[in-house]
Amino acid sequence: MENFNYHRPATVLAAAAMLKKSKDGKYMGGGHTLLPTMKQGLAAPTDIIDLTAIKNFGGIKVSKSIVTIKAGTTHMEVAASKDIKKAIPALAEMAGKIGGVHVRHKGTIGGSIANADPAADYPSACLGLGATIETNKRKIEADKFFTGMFETALKAGEIITAVHFPIPKKSAHQKFPNPASRYALTGVFLSQDGKGKVRVGVTGAAASAFRATEIEAALTKDFSAKSASSVKIAAKGLMSDMHATAAYRAHLVSVLAGRAAAAAK
Amino acid sequence: MADTKTGIGASVRRKEDLRFITGKGNYTDDINLKDQTVGYFLRSPHAHAKIKSINTAKARKMDGVVGIFTGEDVAKDKLGGLICGWMIHSKDGSPMKAGPHPVLALDKVRFVGDQVALVVAETKEQARAAAQAIVVSYDVLPHVVDVAKAMKSKANVHDVAPDNRVFNWSLGNEADTNAAFAKAAHVTSMDIVNNRLIPNAMEPRAAIGSYDTGTESYTLYTTSQNPHVARLVISAFHGLAPEHKLRVIAPDVGGGFGSKIFIYGEEVACVWASKFIGGRPIKWTGERSESFLCDAHGRDHVTKAELAMDANGKITGMRVHTKAAMGAYLSTFSAAVPTYLYGTLLSGQYNIPNIYVEVDAIYTNTAPVDAYRGAGRPEATYVVERLVETAARELKMDPAEFRRKNFVTSFPHQTPVIMMYDAGDYGAALDKALDMSDYKNFASRKAESAKNGKLRGVGFSAYIEACGIAPSAAVGSLGAGVGLWESAEVRVNPIGTVEILTGSHSHGQGHETTFAQLVSERLGVDINNVLIVHGDTDKVQMGMGTYGSRSGAVGMTAISKALDKIEAKAKKIAAAVMESSVNDVEFKDGTFTIKGTDKKMGFGEVALASYLGHKFNTSEIELGLKESAFHDPSNFVFPAGVHICEVEVDVDTGLTKIASYTAVDDFGNLINPMIVEGQVQGGVAQGIGQALLEGAVYDEDSGQLLTGSFMDYNMPRAANMPHIENFQLGFTCTPCPSNPLGMKGCGEAGAIAAPPAVINAITHALGVRDIAMPATPLTVWTAMQSMKIAAE
Amino acid sequence: MSVVKMKLNGKAVNGDVEARTLLVDFIRQNLGMTGTHVGCDTSQCGACVVHVNGKAIKSCTILAVACESADVTTVEGLAKGGDLHAMQAAFKEHHGLQCGFCTPGMIMSAIDIVKRNGKNVSEDVIRRELSGNICRCTGYHNIVKAVQAGAANM
């Protein structure tokens, strides 16, 4: 990999300033996407601004209605959090299925969401729970955040600082991993709030995480496994590769939504 | 019997483990030599192209660059090309069409990853940067990656083979076989694909080549399963240096599975180029991406196979036509794999009077294909066991009973395809496997699975393989360029400790333990007082290495023979020292006694006496206690067994889970059952990998390898394997008559047996005739979809 | 080049590294400790697993400079005064290794699994949590047995 200037700022402000000053700098959280990409020669930033030393960049806070996870919190911390397990058990479960143990020890929620890998797990939770993503500049609704493959609403230099998840009445996560990479071949995160409103976030199936609105409608009418799994999702627009055709991904969305509806608690 | 805790048959904990569990292993990349440089290979981005020019001018001036070498430099120095050590003749008598295989590409590249230049620099980053600055001008040519299409492709991989066919080989009697089919009451016919695999030993290949300007000799540290063969080939065929001027060392090697048998261009280039940079060592450590692109792949057969049966369900004939991919070049052993390691095993465990097989070996613009765990025998077993299972279903017979009806039951048994099976009891293994797997209650388990939305199926694999390769005269007559014997030397030190020098090479098999167990058993020496020396051509005189499950049957037999000589000489010395007749000396549990007296000497005392020469006439008995032996086996050994797999297929997703796996194997006598079981478990995992997970995919349009990393090539993980209590191993034993230890090989059996067991189980579960390997969730779901459509 | 300092197996170490130097290269090249292996280039195989501040991480996917002042343990640091760590001993006792190349990473991951899941960690959890460690030799059967046995003795 190409060499670069390494920075380890102690504040978000300093990090943003460093990026601005760099020619082609990149923020780094756990580094589990950026470093492999650089090793393959697919990225060669001039500067890496390591966010992991920022003071109070990680942490979990659970209020009556909101789970707030600060950007530097690792997947393992989320998976192990007793508070999250109580408030949104599916969220802890989901974090416990990201990558392998080593990835979970290093990878952060902020990094995962900012990177917006089409097969990453967190985007489905953000959409499925109607999260709000907070940056050093503003708050962005999850529905407006994931804009394309590896593309988000983040502006240049903007840093995610926290993610706020409303606590639903019940929720569930189902993941069908790519057998080789263990990323989500398709993943579904669904929730139902106190008013009966259902959200279904889907990852791995399309270029960007999306909400399966047909399934949401069906589940709002009748919250049951059958109601979710009977919805036929159109294959058009979904990804197709050697591991899964678009038709298979479409089918998995319904199957996983059905299983999630059955498991929701 | 020696101390039963360390002798033959004991599950002795491995002596080699201490260094591996404490991080003290010594793999090639762990070694650093003085003044070492780093080698980096520039590789072809094209599947097939003419090299118009290579401009290295800019790269040579870059920081840290020590030297850059291309195919022209290799040609200028008259370094020979890579060879295929097995000559196959087509059925019309013509020799196979071997195209040139230069150490570094000359004029042409033939697959994505073909090595174009070696860049040597002070650091890896410098070498890589310089490689990127080399300008290669290519004229892209048409390519073909699909073996089924290659003979009719406009791509021409090698000029010598205009239709890309290397040879058209046959075995068996065609007329008799056709006659059997003409008379058959039932014929089962199948198109069978054996998917291409990438070996992926966990340690990537690596080499350090150096040249000593003072002694004018070369040293090559390399990840080899057979360092002596590497030395022989580099010396005799590449012409680098005579053997006494070339030392090849294979230190700890992190797995091979066949892929580290072969002589590759990278290793040869490193040791050759060292001379041109003043003898500085050049280290190359392959990256995993390079392993994917350039290590020899395995399998890749497309076959039409037919089985003929009479009205009683007896098999009367088998007819097979296989297209076997060879890749872009003929690798070291490649030609033997789809021929004498394949066609000769098509009789399986069955009495089949007529067999005819024809094989077209075909060049494709892909990595070379060569031996990978099982080599030819997994492909043969897959054909036989898929055919037999399908035939049983078509005849509405129980697949176990159909097999039993056709088993070979008397030995020796001459098959129509060369092999003479020496011993076995296939019915016994079947009975044991049926019992262990609780076959009789399968229906209730199937019903239980159905309640959970799962389709359950059961599949059999009654495999046989020929290993312990092999009788030298036999393989010589079939085209092998070498003899396949093994050598051993036993050196007894004056204090009675023992050094065994062996031509076998351990890269996970545990030779340091099992070989020591043999010595412990024979000489009564503590295994901790036995040192196994291997993997260095300067220490061990000659050897053929480890592959084809041969280290036990061939390598240990050589040691056993040398131990016979040690015992005979020690008896002479003991007799002289104890002033008795050698005929009266008895040797048991490490003690020499004189019949009818209370005279005795320990093995250590005799060892010391042999070096002192005080108490025997040194002109009659030569001083010292050191003997060597070569062993050339008189036959292959024939491990066989029955594996039964049960799967559960998730109807919704197509995900297949191994619900249970039962392996019953007959390996003859076992030296260390713990190690043997480990070999079976590992082999079965690779077989399950082939059936469910693994498959190399090249993009037809671009010729690029799509499964070029662990992100896309699905390696078996812990969760893919059956639970501990659902993976049962059992053994039957018919001792092998062709070696004194009665051993057969155990290293490849699992990888040979498992794929058809798994696929037979999935097709049984789904009620389909065939499903492609790897049976991924997508593949299984797609098959279920087409069944649904057909049913509607 | 800059100097990085850390604690490795309880000893203070330092060395000159570039920003791009990976922790595994610092350990293998600068410090000459070769027990930690490299088996892939896509952060998948787990042969390079070490503990950084008590957590199992892939040393091929972390910069050496990011480990400034960290407490790093490699497989060489497990045995204490000639006594094998319970997990090392279990791998030997249960034949949890063949070629030995993946073994250091396996053992380091196994210890992390037990630390977080306790002595009675289930077979399912072990298998799931070994997803980031690839072994080509053993079929994992004896590795899983070894981790269970090692857990009981830790």
Side-chain angles (χ1 to χ4, degrees), chain B residues 1-13 15 512-530 556 671-673:
Chain B
M1 189 74 189
D3 182 354
T4 50
K5 282 182 286 188
T6 61
I8 288 175
S11 287
V12 178
R13 300 305 182 262
K15 292 178 62 182
E512 290 171 42
T513 305
T514 40
F515 290 11
Q517 283 179 255
L518 171 62
V519 177
S520 174
E521 174 85 21
R522 291 289 307 274
L523 302 182
V525 175
D526 188 309
I527 57 164
N528 294 315
N529 288 334
V530 182
M556 282 181 82
I671 306 298
N672 184 321

Side-chain angles (χ1 to χ4, degrees), chain C residues 31-100:
Chain C
L31 303 178
M33 309 268 292
T34 55
T36 304
H37 297 151
V38 178
C40 81
D41 43 11
T42 53
S43 312
Q44 295 256 311
C45 82
C48 68
V49 171
V50 302
H51 292 181
V52 175
N53 298 327
K55 290 175 184 153
I57 60 100
K58 288 181 171 166
S59 62
C60 74
T61 314
I62 184 169
L63 301 173
V65 287
C67 296
E68 176 67 35
S69 307
D71 191 346
V72 178
T73 307
T74 68
V75 72
E76 290 99 329
L78 293 178
K80 297 278 179 252
D83 290 334
L84 293 176
H85 185 283
M87 195 56 75
Q88 291 174 310
F91 268 69
K92 176 171 175 156
E93 178 60 24
H94 294 274
H95 190 30
L97 62 149
Q98 289 181 24
C99 82

Side-chain angles (χ1 to χ4, degrees), chain B residues 134-146:
Chain B
I134 295 174
V135 183
V136 186
S137 170
Y138 291 105
D139 212 345
V140 174
L141 299 167
H143 66 265
V144 63
V145 294
D146 182 346

